[in-house]
């Protein structure tokens, strides 16, 4: 670990999403695993990227982390709007998008996605059991204009991706470095807290 960015042309973009209504309204990036917040765990990846960005419409809970933060440019569009904000704010040609409720994303998992980029590819994501996983994925920042136009339809992330040159990676590609697919785990409910050993932030 020499401190040099492994992916200098990529912005690590962490999407803070909503306010965790199923978890009592907590800021999900402040959920804890082994004494550290999920956001802190994700920020451990930051030195490997050319830049880091947090997309948060309510930035105050995350102010102490000192990360450049932007709000959705087109409010009310959920995760598609969060990715659009990241594309628009990126200072690099590519964005690696993860959600702030995904505690177990590793550099190895990110590398599988990022190594699959190519000149004829706009986006890369995993496919698991027929479902695409668009929040452990890489996107060309130059998509921002097309992506913004698509938001008028209130599309799902998959619908947007289906119109792009999207490379989907098989589940086996992730299992090679993450046998239990923990990188794809996200925490949305009290049951998820118990399943993954995640704690609520201190009151």
């Amino acid at each position: 670990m020499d401190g040099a960015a492994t992916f200098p042309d990529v912005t690590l973009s962490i999407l803070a999403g909503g306010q965790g209504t199923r978890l009592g309204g907590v800021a999900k990036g402040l959920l804890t695993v082994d004494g550290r917040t999920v956001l802190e765990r994700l920020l451990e990846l930051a030195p490997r990227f050319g830049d880091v960005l947090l997309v948060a419409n309510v930035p105050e809970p995350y102010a102490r982390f000192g990360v450049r933060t932007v709000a959705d440019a087109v409010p009310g569009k959920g995760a598609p709007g969060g990715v659009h904000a990241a594309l628009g704010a990126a200072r690099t040609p590519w964005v690696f998008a993860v959600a702030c409720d995904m505690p177990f994303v590793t550099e190895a998992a990110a590398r599988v996605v990022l190594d699959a980029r190519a000149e004829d590819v706009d986006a890369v994501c995993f496919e698991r059991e027929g479902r695409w996983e668009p929040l452990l994925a890489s996107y060309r920042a130059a998509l921002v204009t097309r992506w913004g136009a698509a938001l008028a339809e209130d599309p799902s992330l998959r619908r947007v991706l289906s119109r792009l040159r999207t490379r989907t990676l098989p589940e086996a590609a992730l299992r090679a470095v993450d046998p239990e697919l923990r990188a794809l785990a996200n925490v949305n409910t009290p049951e998820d807290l118990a399943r993954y050993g995640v704690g609520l932030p201190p009151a």
Side-chain angles (χ1 to χ4, degrees), residues 1-2 14 18 24 39-40 45 48 55 85 90 92-93 96 99 104 140 157 168 176 181 185 193 195 200:
M1 301 285 280
D2 57 10
I14 303 169
L39 183 56
E40 285 174 304
L45 303 173
R48 290 311 191 199
V55 180
T92 59
F96 178 68
F104 308 113
R140 286 188 186 276
L157 276 171
T168 57
L181 303 180
L193 295 177
R195 180 180 304 123
L200 292 171

Side-chain angles (χ1 to χ4, degrees), residues 74-193:
V74 184
K77 300 297 183 179
V83 172
H84 173 252
L87 298 178
R91 300 166 175 164
T92 59
W94 285 86
V95 162
F96 178 68
V98 297
C100 75
D101 60 1
M102 300 174 74
F104 308 113
V105 176
T106 62
E107 182 181 342
R111 185 183 296 274
V112 174
V113 172
L114 294 167
D115 283 352
R117 293 174 296 154
E119 287 296 320
D120 59 347
V121 171
D122 292 322
V124 181
C125 69
F126 291 107
E127 182 173 354
R128 177 174 57 164
E129 297 175 354
R131 294 183 57 205
W132 292 5
E133 300 285 352
L135 291 183
L136 183 69
S138 59
Y139 302 96
R140 286 188 186 276
L143 295 171
V144 61
T145 301
R146 291 172 61 194
W147 198 290
L151 289 180
E153 302 174 19
D154 286 323
S156 66
L157 276 171
R158 176 162 183 154
R159 178 179 289 185
V160 179
L161 286 170
S162 70
R163 300 176 182 176
L164 306 174
R165 297 177 300 172
T166 299
R167 172 174 288 174
T168 57
L169 304 177
E171 182 181 304
L174 180 56
R175 285 194 186 277
V177 299
D178 181 5
E180 297 180 1
L181 303 180
R182 283 171 66 81
L184 296 177
N186 59 355
V187 181
N188 289 307
T189 66
E191 292 76 18
D192 292 335
L193 295 177

Side-chain angles (χ1 to χ4, degrees), residues 16-29:
Q19 284 302 293
T21 54
R22 286 179 285 179
L23 294 173
V26 303
K28 290 197 288 185

Side-chain angles (χ1 to χ4, degrees), residues 37-62:
T37 66
V38 176
L39 183 56
E40 285 174 304
R41 294 169 66 91
L42 292 171
L43 288 175
E44 287 185 352
L45 303 173
R48 290 311 191 199
F49 290 85
D51 198 7
V52 61
L53 175 69
L54 178 67
V55 180
N57 293 320
V58 182
E60 291 80 8
Y62 305 109

